[in-house]
Structures are given as structure tokens and as C-alpha cells.
């Protein structure tokens, strides 16, 4: 039997698409971390999870990993690392109690997703 978070991970990959019409695509448009977190929050909210706490849980869990081995963890570290700007303080300004609250509020962990999603 496939774990529920594995199925959810594949569903995110399938459901994540451009909301804008094709004529709004700009090839040199740069994504910023605030937009990524915000869009992830909306996507998770639409799937019945608490988007804010799930994003914060991902930040807490990824930042607790000291030795990132493998491409998956390295990508997660790049996305969820501590930001130097105040635009992401909503997600990055946390204490250990806030992390525990987020872990308890969100059943989905990015650390439990298998890197072999096609198996």
C-alpha cells in the first residue's frame, strides 16, 4: 500500500500549474520566496490543509537538517532556508513552540515524501 503522503506528493505535482493565461508568461520573470510560500499556502488550503502551518512546518523541518544529502534535500534547503528580507517574516519569524504548533496543525511533512515518486 502506498502511504497517503506519497499520493499527496504526486497530486501536488499534478495540480501545480499556471493560473495565469499563457500570454502573461514572461520568460525572465523571477520568482521570489514570498510568492512561492504564498502560492504553496493557497494550494495547500485548497486541498483541505492549513497552508500557513504546513509551510512553516516545512521551514522548521528543513532548517533542522544539518547535513543535506541528495538533490531533494538540497532543493528543499534552497527553497525553505532563512530569508534575509522582512517580506517572509510571516513564515520565518518563529520559536520552537511555533514549530511544534505547526507540526501538530499540519499532517503533511515534506521530509516524508519519497524521492522516488514514480515507483
Amino acid at each position: 500500500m502506498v502511504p497517503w503522503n506519497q499520493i499527496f506528493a504526486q497530486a501536488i505535482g499534478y495540480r501545480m500549474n499556471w493560473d495565469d493565461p499563457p500570454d502573461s508568461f514572461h520568460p525572465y520573470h523571477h520568482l521570489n520566496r514570498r510568492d512561492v510560500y504564498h502560492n504553496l499556502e493557497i494550494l495547500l488550503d485548497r486541498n483541505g490543509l492549513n497552508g500557513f502551518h504546513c509551510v512553516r512546518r516545512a521551514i522548521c523541518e528543513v532548517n533542522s537538517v544539518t547535513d543535506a544529502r541528495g538533490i531533494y534535500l538540497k532543493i528543499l534547503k534552497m527553497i525553505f532556508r532563512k530569508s534575509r528580507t522582512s517580506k517572509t517574516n510571516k513564515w520565518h519569524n518563529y520559536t520552537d513552540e511555533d514549530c511544534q504548533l505547526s507540526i501538530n496543525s499540519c499532517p503533511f511533512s515534506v521530509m516524508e515524501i519519497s524521492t522516488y515518486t514514480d515507483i
Side-chain angles (χ1 to χ4, degrees):
M1 175 157 206
V2 179
W4 75 269
N5 56 359
Q6 183 64 32
I7 294 169
F8 188 78
Q10 292 197 16
I12 284 181
Y14 180 76
R15 297 275 317 261
M16 200 168 224
N17 54 22
W18 294 103
D19 288 336
D20 299 329
D23 61 344
S24 68
F25 177 73
H26 304 286
Y28 298 107
H29 178 75
H30 298 282
L31 289 175
N32 57 41
R33 190 168 282 127
R34 181 193 63 221
D35 291 340
V36 171
Y37 293 168
H38 179 71
N39 289 335
L40 272 174
E41 198 174 306
I42 290 170
L43 180 70
L44 292 167
D45 283 336
R46 288 182 183 168
N47 284 288
L49 297 171
N50 187 327
F52 171 76
H53 283 294
C54 288
V55 171
R56 182 179 276 169
R57 178 178 178 166
I59 291 168
C60 292
E61 289 179 344
V62 169
N63 286 320
S64 69
V65 173
T66 56
D67 187 26
R69 295 182 187 257
I71 190 74
Y72 177 68
L73 281 177
K74 289 179 181 181
I75 291 171
L76 288 178
K77 291 283 269 184
M78 287 186 338
I79 295 170
F80 294 112
R81 72 175 177 246
K82 181 80 172 161
S83 178
R84 295 186 185 111
T85 65
S86 62
K87 295 176 182 177
T88 59
N89 276 346
K90 173 183 172 183
W91 298 279
H92 284 285
N93 193 13
Y94 59 85
T95 63
D96 289 336
E97 291 82 22
D98 294 333
C99 282
Q100 191 59 45
L101 174 66
S102 294
I103 289 170
N104 293 337
S105 300
C106 177
F108 173 69
S109 172
V110 295
M111 302 301 285
E112 294 175 2
I113 298 173
S114 171
T115 55
Y116 304 104
T117 57
D118 58 343
I119 293 179

